[in-house]
Amino acid sequence: KKKKKMVSGGIPIDSKCLKEYQLLKLKKKYQYIVFSLTPKFDRVEVVKTAPYGTSYDEFLKELPPKECRWAVTYFSFDLKDGGKREKIVFVQWAPDTAKMKAKMLTSSTKASMKKSLQGIAIEVQATASDEVVASEVLAKCLKFTR
């Protein structure tokens, strides 16, 4: 049986992923975009978009308990001086309960995903829901905000 060769940097990213990301970043058409591997593990595709203004709690519902995902989301927060900020956050979701192959491919494809999706301010790698709750993301955003 022949072994398939892995593309260095992981799985190819569907061009629709980049087009939708540009609409999120430049036009604020979406609050978030969720990406996934196809069932055959042969490319990354868009599985969900949500209109700008959708809540962070709604975004969290898109992270399945036994499957890996990547996502980009606008995350809004208040500064201590009263100012408001919004950052594009990249989330790599690889729950402990996901299949090993999916977790390995998700991890190996992350760098090419981030490189393709330019303008990401904050990165969150989560294996459990408590690592992606708003308070954790807020702490990361505040660490990189002046």
Side-chain angles (χ1 to χ4, degrees), residues 17-33:
C17 297
L18 308 179
K19 288 177 188 157
E20 298 291 14
Y21 177 69
Q22 291 302 319
L23 291 173
L24 174 140
K25 186 173 95 170
L26 302 175
K27 307 242 188 249
K28 288 197 175 179
K29 181 176 180 181
Y30 306 120
Q31 183 71 31
Y32 60 81
I33 304 171

Side-chain angles (χ1 to χ4, degrees), residues 15-81:
S15 62
K16 184 181 179 196
C17 297
L18 308 179
K19 288 177 188 157
E20 298 291 14
Y21 177 69
Q22 291 302 319
L23 291 173
L24 174 140
K25 186 173 95 170
L26 302 175
K27 307 242 188 249
K28 288 197 175 179
K29 181 176 180 181
Y30 306 120
Q31 183 71 31
Y32 60 81
I33 304 171
V34 181
F35 308 96
S36 177
L37 291 166
T38 58
K40 292 181 178 179
F41 299 111
D42 58 354
R43 66 187 160 81
V44 176
E45 64 182 358
V46 173
V47 290
K48 175 78 177 184
T49 58
Y52 188 78
T54 304
S55 74
Y56 190 73
D57 287 340
E58 286 300 311
F59 164 69
L60 293 177
K61 292 176 186 174
E62 301 298 335
L63 304 176
K66 294 184 179 182
E67 295 176 32
C68 298
R69 296 286 187 268
W70 302 273
V72 287
T73 182
Y74 276 109
F75 187 82
S76 302
F77 57 98
D78 298 324
L79 297 173
K80 287 179 185 164
D81 66 8

